[in-house]
Amino acid sequence: MRLKTTSMKCIAISSLMFLFLSLGGINAQVIDTGEESLEVKAIDETPVKEVAKDTVKPFKRIKAGGVSAVVGEYVIVEFDIDLSFLEMQQQGASIEGITRCQMLGKLMEDKLYAHHAKQDSILIPDSQINSRLDQQMQYLISELGSEEKVVAYYRKDNMADLRKQLFDVNKQIALAAEMQGKVIEDVEITPEEIRNFFFSIPEDERPVFGAEVEVAQIVIEPEVTEEAKQDAIDRLNEIRNDIVENGSSFATKAVLYSKDEGSARKGGLIPGVRRDAPYAKEFKDQAFSLLEGEVSEPFETSFGFHILYVEKIRGQEVDVRHILLFPEVSQETIDKAREKIDKIRQSIVNDSISFAEAARLYSDQKETRNSGGRLMNPITGDTRFDLTKMDPTLSAQVYNLAQNEVSKVFTDRDRTGKSSFKILTVTKRFEEHEADFVKDYEKIKELALKEKQIKAIQEWQEKKIGETYISVNRDYTDCDFSNNWLKQ
């Protein structure tokens, strides 16, 4: 392919860096590598631990607090680069072949975008940043065990200081993403450009597309009876009465009985709930309708039945605890569901009904039944799934299926732990093949558009680098940057 190697390297580094930028911060001082703790102090005589072999002249001594580069109003220090490498390693990403020069170049690109986003008056609502931050904090707390451990991990005095730091980092990420989106939003590609792109690639260099499948499914869920729902409500009422009337601990009850594994081990705690947070509407309605210390009546969401306790109200945020219960599904209803899907499968195999028609008539999954059970790839937005990249559970069921063959019945569990029975079929199979202009037109169009977008980004960067104040530390003047950061 004729996509520039340097550009693709930057894109690769960008994707690997995302989680670091989302969860880390430029002022963190201790990073747990799983083997030892690396402490970096901002003093002249403290060397930084080597994390990647560079391709330029070796660094004899680097100041941990020293400035590596300045882009507009943003400063990049040596520790930002070290932290980038360490966070990538912690997330299981390989840093092999990525030099300090490349990492600095990527950080400078991010700052260039953020700087010009501000210059162009691009605004990101604080609510959007806070929503993302809430998700990150939930992830960090679930991984480390408590707010206190998260604060200690990032060497902050309190949660407010940590949230402020992560808010600033997320704001820069959002500004950079918005600016990059603005650069390429008007980039379009014509059929003639697509044709020229494809036929300009030598035949022996044309891409090979891996095996792909289009998949449909039928889902049968064991019936949840009204009696089972009422039993869950009655059990929550018993727990609630013991808390309200007898002073029992809500947190203890959550540890003992809640089916939400993520919060149960923390006493049901979900900190920092905001009105724009990604929770069920019914959950947020309860959270913001109660006073501190109040316990809700049982209520239902798509996850199950809850009671909720408001622990603390902090402005537009609420710290809550909740207990989640699922209605019990009897063995009788499980057996009925299994018998039903067995009969549906047999009818399809016997050609008494098509898979698509059976899905429309019988599947319990509303999202897919009207399309004959056809699944959409959440990554690409189309109906094709790359067998090497699809969900392992799904891949295991369809990998050896011939086109139009029906899988055996298997049991699946959703995010709430609720079981259902499924059958799958491969409606179309595409074997691994060299790119074909007609058959793979949409994929080729995507590649051609991506190349044109990369060119637009490169032209924008070249122009803005010339217009922006940029200073690079002399230790990096021998770097072979993909952009003209040194303005030579």
Side-chain angles (χ1 to χ4, degrees):
M1 299 299 297
R2 294 186 176 180
L3 303 180
K4 288 190 176 180
T5 302
T6 52
S7 299
M8 297 307 291
K9 282 185 178 179
C10 289
I11 290 171
I13 296 172
S14 176
S15 62
L16 292 172
M17 284 283 291
F18 176 78
L19 187 56
F20 150 65
L21 289 172
S22 298
L23 300 180
I26 62 173
N27 295 318
Q29 290 179 295
V30 173
I31 299 90
D32 183 6
T33 65
E35 298 177 356
E36 60 179 334
S37 212
L38 171 63
E39 184 172 357
V40 182
K41 299 178 181 178
I43 58 176
D44 290 355
E45 297 301 321
T46 303
V48 173
K49 182 179 179 180
E50 289 279 343
V51 293
K53 185 178 180 181
D54 211 320
T55 58
V56 299
K57 65 180 181 181
F59 298 100
K60 295 180 180 179
R61 177 172 297 174
I62 297 175
K63 299 177 182 179
V67 174
S68 303
V70 178
V71 179
E73 65 189 84
Y74 294 106
V75 176
I76 302 169
V77 298
E78 285 295 327
F79 190 70
D80 295 339
I81 303 173
D82 295 315
L83 187 59
S84 301
F85 279 115
L86 289 168
E87 288 286 345
M88 286 174 66
Q89 287 179 307
Q90 283 185 307
Q91 300 305 323
S94 173
I95 62 172
E96 185 178 355
I98 301 176
T99 67
R100 291 183 72 83
C101 290
Q102 289 174 323
M103 192 65 77
L104 175 60
K106 179 61 187 70
L107 291 173
M108 292 173 73
E109 283 185 21
D110 293 338
K111 304 309 181 189
L112 184 70
Y113 282 123
H115 173 75
H116 283 283
K118 286 189 174 183
Q119 298 296 308
D120 291 0
S121 300
I122 291 177
L123 300 177
I124 305 293
D126 285 355
S127 60
Q128 177 180 326
I129 306 301
N130 281 316
S131 178
R132 181 185 299 175
L133 182 54
D134 288 338
Q135 295 178 51
Q136 292 166 1
M137 294 309 303
Q138 289 172 39
Y139 170 81
L140 288 168
I141 292 169
S142 67
E143 288 295 303
L144 298 179
S146 69
E147 283 191 20
E148 291 75 16
K149 289 181 179 179
V150 174
V151 171
Y153 177 83
Y154 282 100
R155 285 290 196 257
K156 291 297 176 184
D157 293 330
N158 51 59
M159 180 58 75
D161 287 348
L162 176 57
R163 284 186 68 92
K164 182 181 183 304
Q165 176 184 325
L166 293 183
F167 180 94
D168 292 341
V169 172
N170 274 283
K171 191 67 170 278
Q172 291 181 28
I173 294 170
L175 285 170
E178 196 72 19
M179 188 70 248
Q180 189 175 55
K182 185 178 179 181
V183 172
I184 64 174
E185 65 181 355
D186 295 326
V187 177
E188 297 178 346
I189 194 151
T190 66
E192 185 62 25
E193 287 176 313
I194 299 169
R195 174 179 290 277
N196 291 337
F197 167 80
F198 180 75
F199 288 104
S200 68
I201 304 171
E203 287 190 19
D204 60 348
E205 295 181 18
R206 287 177 183 170
V208 174
F209 295 127
E212 294 178 311
V213 290
E214 291 184 347
V215 180
Q217 69 178 10
I218 294 174
V219 181
I220 301 297
E221 299 174 351
E223 180 186 5
V224 178
T225 64
E226 291 302 319
E227 181 181 2
K229 291 181 180 180
Q230 190 58 50
D231 286 345
I233 293 171
D234 291 343
R235 181 67 184 123
L236 284 172
N237 274 322
E238 290 178 10
I239 295 171
R240 181 182 185 278
N241 289 338
D242 199 20
I243 294 167
V244 174
E245 302 295 335
N246 302 324
S248 294
S249 165
F250 193 104
T252 300
K253 296 288 188 183
V255 171
L256 292 173
Y257 304 116
S258 181
K259 301 300 182 182
D260 179 7
E261 296 179 0
S263 68
R265 62 176 179 265
K266 298 174 288 185
L269 179 65
I270 301 179
V273 176
R274 300 176 63 87
R275 291 186 184 275
D276 56 0
Y279 298 107
K281 179 181 181 300
E282 301 89 345
F283 188 93
K284 290 188 288 187
D285 287 347
Q286 293 290 334
F288 288 96
S289 65
L290 301 173
L291 300 176
E292 281 189 14
E294 283 192 309
V295 181
S296 75
E297 300 288 341
F299 64 94
E300 185 178 9
T301 71
S302 60
F303 294 92
F305 290 87
H306 313 246
I307 55 174
L308 184 145
Y309 166 70
V310 174
E311 184 162 285
K312 189 171 185 60
I313 298 174
R314 295 183 282 107
Q316 300 300 312
E317 295 184 353
V318 183
D319 294 341
V320 302
R321 296 182 186 271
H322 85 129
I323 296 171
L324 170 67
L325 294 183
F326 306 139
E328 293 292 331
V329 179
S330 68
Q331 188 60 47
E332 181 182 359
T333 60
I334 292 173
D335 292 341
K336 284 183 178 179
R338 177 61 195 247
E339 182 181 355
K340 180 178 179 180
I341 199 166
D342 282 338
K343 288 181 178 179
I344 293 170
R345 182 184 184 279
Q346 195 60 48
S347 295
I348 297 169
V349 171
N350 293 339
D351 292 329
S352 300
I353 190 173
S354 70
F355 194 100
E357 186 62 21
R360 282 189 282 268
L361 289 174
Y362 305 118
S363 182
D364 289 327
Q365 189 176 61
K366 296 178 181 178
E367 297 85 355
T368 62
R369 66 186 179 197
N370 290 333
S371 63
R374 184 175 59 191
L375 296 179
M376 299 298 292
N377 188 328
I379 306 299
T380 63
D382 62 19
T383 57
R384 290 192 185 189
F385 290 83
D386 185 327
L387 280 170
T388 64
K389 298 177 183 177
M390 67 193 308
D391 178 86
T393 302
L394 191 61
S395 176
Q397 299 298 325
V398 304
Y399 193 86
N400 293 317
L401 284 183
Q403 188 166 307
N404 296 322
E405 184 180 359
V406 182
S407 73
K408 293 181 179 180
V409 176
F410 68 99
T411 305
D412 195 18
R413 292 181 181 274
D414 66 12
R415 62 185 185 277
T416 69
K418 183 172 63 177
S419 296
S420 61
F421 296 109
K422 291 184 177 182
I423 53 175
L424 299 166
T425 189
V426 173
T427 58
K428 191 173 291 187
R429 179 179 283 273
F430 307 86
E431 299 301 336
E432 182 179 292
H433 62 283
E434 184 181 293
D436 180 277
F437 184 71
V438 176
K439 294 179 180 179
D440 301 304
Y441 182 81
E442 289 301 320
K443 289 183 178 296
I444 294 166
K445 176 182 177 181
E446 183 180 337
L447 290 174
L449 178 61
K450 179 63 67 177
E451 183 185 60
K452 192 171 180 180
Q453 289 173 337
I454 289 173
K455 288 179 180 177
I457 288 171
Q458 289 172 336
E459 290 171 1
W460 181 89
Q461 289 178 349
E462 184 177 349
K463 177 184 177 184
K464 295 302 180 182
I465 286 172
E467 299 174 355
T468 308
Y469 172 77
I470 296 171
S471 176
V472 180
N473 187 292
R474 64 178 179 272
D475 287 326
Y476 291 95
T477 55
D478 286 344
C479 286
D480 183 19
F481 291 119
S482 59
N483 287 312
N484 186 26
W485 299 113
L486 302 176
K487 299 187 179 183
Q488 294 176 338

